Amino acid sequence: MVETFPITTYFMLLLLFISFLVSTLGKPKLSTNCLPSKFQNPVYQNRKLQNLDIISKLRDDHDAIKLASSDYGNMVHEIPASVLYPTSINDIETLIKFAHNNSAPFTIAARGQGHSVRGQAMARNGVVVNMRSLKNHRNGFGITVSGTPSMGFFYVDVGGEQLWIDVLNATLEHGLAPVSFTDYLYLTVGGTLSNAGISGQTFRYGPQISNVYEMDVITGEGDFVTCSPEKNRKLFYAALGGLGQFGIIVRARIALEPAPKRVKWVRMLYNDFSAFTKDQESLISLNGRKQKNALNYLEGLLIMDKGTPENWRSTFFPLSDHSRIISLVTKYGIIYCIEVAKYYDDHTLNSVDKELQVLFEGLSFIPGFTFEKDISYIDFLNRVQSGEQKLQSQGLWDTPHPWLNLFVPKSHISDFNSIVFKDIVLKRNITTGVVLVYPMNRNKWDDRMSAVIPDEDVFYTIGFLHTIGFNDWETIDLQNKDILQSCYNAGIEVKQYLPNYKTMEDWQNHFGMKWRTFQERKAQFDPKMILSPGQRIFNNN
């Protein structure tokens, strides 16, 4: 159970705020009866406050602290001193400026949906900024679609606190949509851009950070900065994939394209890993953004013996085919599934099936084991919501989630299959969720950004997305550690996506050649190391 923080910690924090806001010039006296009880102190009587508004938005009640001291992972719990519920961007600026200018700075973490799994959005004894608080205030940026129709150029300006599902719904009203999404849409724009934002569209359109034209960022010094590839470019590239270390993203200008109407959604099953990866790599080799015959989405997943071929993320296979799919799993231990999607609208309705047929020629999936759905575009993008609702109904949404997300170089993906999938995951048989396996193209990423990926033209995303009971998560966590250690022992240079490391040396190894640049950017934009302490990069304690 989360406990309230020590009174002294809170008192010291708000004492600092009072010191910052005190003015002795020409303001009417404010009765101390107006102040919270913790300020009923003779020291502050007869003082004149310049601004009480920021203090009134700091909360230390049980509900606020409980929310800010846990996340989706539900494994790490760090108690902040207070939680800021901003009603304007200026509130965040004021908070950060005060922390930066103080002789004893406190740490600050921005929290959107809190979908991190290792406490990345927490701030022990510091202040957590509840970004979602901005959504209902006009002083937030909201969602605004703009562009030049004659040139076919469109974009959407989005507050960092906005959810991707709301961005999608707002842009669809104009017949437009972003081209790169995460699989789960109930995440904030600022949150995913601080990491990268990946899914099955990434092989063709790049991660979400590759589709941003401009941002407004509040740095670790409290400066409000508009940045782009042309203006304040160092901050622009630093903040994208920067894990919140250089500033809080409060607005992003995101590229839009005409939205399709429907989706051909296909899954194909494999019993041979080499054939599975060869076909995936062949399919993502067609990846031009304007290449009409290319797929729009490609992912892969493992199917193992859990009594059903389905997983919590989506229900896809016809019930009548479950038994024969499970028979394959029983025979081979692991079945590999390629999942693809091709978008279409009224203009491409008559050609989409032919284009898929051409793409599938020469693929080595198991004959008779292809499955297809035809659904609306929004239902496809929002397909994971049904899984969320299912888990919530079973009481499993708020349980621990010891997830592990990795980038694996193509040159070692076969080794990874042998060492991890077969010798660890299959033998231990404790998989309790989805295991994703799909490739990406390096040329869709911008190496000037802070995000880290393997140094090969093609690399794979591996996602172990476990859902497990409160008493069992440590077993999965131990398996995750064994996976990482086995990769290290085998010389497989994996990179963690949504990284979690304990030592500075581990972080240096993670960033590799980017480490020095990362340090320099931190020194420039957050010199007192105030922001995102939960990442434990520079606040490693």
Side-chain angles (χ1 to χ4, degrees), residues 21-184:
L21 298 174
V22 163
S23 170
T24 58
L25 299 175
K27 298 284 183 179
K29 292 183 179 181
L30 180 66
S31 169
T32 55
N33 293 328
C34 298
L35 298 174
S37 59
K38 293 184 180 67
F39 295 104
Q40 302 301 324
N41 187 304
V43 173
Y44 304 109
Q45 292 181 10
N46 300 319
R47 297 286 186 119
K48 300 171 183 177
L49 299 181
Q50 182 181 18
N51 183 354
L52 186 62
D53 189 50
I54 187 71
I55 298 178
S56 70
K57 296 169 189 177
L58 286 166
R59 288 176 51 184
D60 69 328
D61 58 275
H62 177 269
D63 290 343
I65 294 297
K66 182 178 180 181
L67 179 67
S69 61
S70 62
D71 59 17
Y72 182 66
N74 215 342
M75 298 176 294
V76 176
H77 300 275
E78 299 283 10
I79 301 174
S82 188
V83 182
L84 177 71
Y85 283 75
T87 60
S88 70
I89 303 302
N90 182 255
D91 291 340
I92 303 174
E93 291 182 72
T94 299
L95 176 72
I96 298 178
K97 278 185 178 179
F98 173 76
H100 174 76
N101 291 329
N102 199 326
S103 59
F106 52 85
T107 57
I108 297 170
R111 186 186 193 277
Q113 287 293 85
H115 206 261
S116 55
V117 297
R118 299 282 177 176
Q120 287 95 332
M122 298 179 195
R124 177 158 55 96
N125 294 329
V127 179
V128 172
V129 180
N130 189 319
M131 296 296 292
R132 292 289 290 154
S133 176
L134 289 171
K135 185 176 185 299
N136 297 321
H137 298 280
R138 287 185 295 175
N139 288 328
F141 283 104
I143 304 172
T144 305
V145 177
S146 306
T148 308
S150 61
M151 299 180 63
F153 176 72
F154 300 96
Y155 58 85
V156 58
D157 284 304
V158 185
E161 76 285 351
Q162 299 294 325
L163 300 183
W164 282 101
I165 182 64
D166 295 328
V167 176
L168 176 62
N169 286 326
T171 56
L172 285 177
E173 292 180 2
H174 301 268
L176 302 166
V179 294
S180 188
F181 287 92
T182 51
D183 288 331
Y184 181 59

Side-chain angles (χ1 to χ4, degrees), residues 318-382:
L319 185 60
S320 59
D321 288 303
H322 280 201
S323 60
R324 68 191 191 104
I325 296 173
I326 291 299
S327 294
L328 282 178
V329 177
T330 302
K331 181 177 180 180
Y332 295 103
I334 301 177
I335 291 297
Y336 309 97
C337 174
I338 292 181
E339 177 180 70
V340 302
K342 181 75 174 171
Y343 305 158
Y344 70 96
D345 53 26
D346 294 340
H347 299 292
T348 54
L349 172 62
N350 296 325
S351 61
V352 62
D353 287 328
K354 179 63 176 177
E355 289 173 358
L356 282 174
Q357 182 181 346
V358 171
L359 283 169
F360 295 163
E361 288 178 359
L363 298 185
S364 301
F365 52 82
I366 304 172
F369 284 89
T370 61
F371 308 88
E372 181 180 315
K373 281 188 175 184
D374 190 314
I375 65 174
S376 71
Y377 177 62
I378 190 168
D379 285 345
F380 173 74
L381 292 180
N382 199 28

Side-chain angles (χ1 to χ4, degrees), residues 201-480:
Q201 293 104 0
T202 304
F203 83 92
R204 183 173 177 186
Y205 301 102
Q208 291 180 319
I209 56 175
S210 293
N211 293 277
V212 178
Y213 292 139
E214 183 181 275
M215 294 188 297
D216 290 331
V217 178
I218 303 176
T219 71
E221 295 180 293
D223 295 329
F224 180 94
V225 182
T226 299
C227 55
S228 70
E230 293 77 34
K231 181 180 181 181
N232 297 310
R233 58 190 301 174
K234 286 186 179 180
L235 180 60
F236 180 79
Y237 292 121
L240 291 170
L243 306 178
Q245 291 297 310
F246 313 108
I248 296 177
I249 299 171
V250 294
R251 178 188 66 92
R253 177 167 292 179
I254 299 162
L256 299 178
E257 290 189 1
K261 291 185 177 180
R262 297 193 65 80
V263 176
K264 294 282 186 178
W265 184 12
V266 183
R267 286 185 178 179
M268 301 164 279
L269 303 188
Y270 292 73
N271 59 13
D272 180 81
F273 186 76
S274 294
F276 166 72
T277 55
K278 179 182 178 181
D279 284 357
Q280 281 191 314
E281 290 163 18
S282 174
L283 290 170
I284 71 163
S285 66
L286 300 173
N287 56 60
R289 291 177 74 105
K290 302 298 182 181
Q291 201 165 353
K292 293 184 179 180
N293 63 333
L295 293 169
N296 300 99
Y297 165 99
L298 180 145
E299 289 191 5
L301 60 144
L302 306 188
I303 302 175
M304 291 175 283
D305 187 9
K306 302 189 295 294
T308 173
E310 305 291 6
N311 60 63
W312 64 263
R313 291 170 77 249
S314 64
T315 299
F316 186 92
F317 299 108
L319 185 60
S320 59
D321 288 303
H322 280 201
S323 60
R324 68 191 191 104
I325 296 173
I326 291 299
S327 294
L328 282 178
V329 177
T330 302
K331 181 177 180 180
Y332 295 103
I334 301 177
I335 291 297
Y336 309 97
C337 174
I338 292 181
E339 177 180 70
V340 302
K342 181 75 174 171
Y343 305 158
Y344 70 96
D345 53 26
D346 294 340
H347 299 292
T348 54
L349 172 62
N350 296 325
S351 61
V352 62
D353 287 328
K354 179 63 176 177
E355 289 173 358
L356 282 174
Q357 182 181 346
V358 171
L359 283 169
F360 295 163
E361 288 178 359
L363 298 185
S364 301
F365 52 82
I366 304 172
F369 284 89
T370 61
F371 308 88
E372 181 180 315
K373 281 188 175 184
D374 190 314
I375 65 174
S376 71
Y377 177 62
I378 190 168
D379 285 345
F380 173 74
L381 292 180
N382 199 28
R383 63 198 177 281
V384 178
Q385 185 193 27
S386 61
E388 174 191 350
Q389 293 170 340
K390 179 180 178 180
L391 290 181
Q392 286 179 337
S393 68
Q394 298 172 342
L396 294 174
W397 186 252
D398 295 322
T399 60
H401 297 89
W403 286 9
L404 178 65
N405 293 277
L406 303 173
F407 292 145
V408 180
K410 170 188 169 181
S411 61
H412 285 287
I413 194 62
S414 180
D415 297 330
F416 192 93
N417 177 58
S418 299
I419 294 169
V420 175
F421 292 151
K422 292 186 175 180
D423 287 347
I424 296 180
V425 177
L426 183 59
K427 286 183 178 179
R428 297 188 189 184
N429 193 29
I430 58 172
T431 299
T432 57
V434 185
V435 181
L436 299 178
V437 188
Y438 60 96
M440 298 179 177
N441 295 303
R442 196 179 205 284
N443 63 5
K444 299 297 180 178
W445 296 66
D446 191 325
D447 202 44
R448 293 171 292 182
M449 297 176 183
S450 294
V452 177
I453 58 176
D455 191 19
E456 291 192 7
D457 291 341
V458 173
F459 61 93
Y460 279 77
T461 292
I462 310 291
F464 296 95
L465 310 184
H466 301 288
T467 298
I468 198 165
F470 279 96
N471 298 323
D472 304 316
W473 69 267
E474 290 180 345
T475 303
I476 293 293
D477 203 40
L478 177 60
Q479 176 173 284
N480 290 341

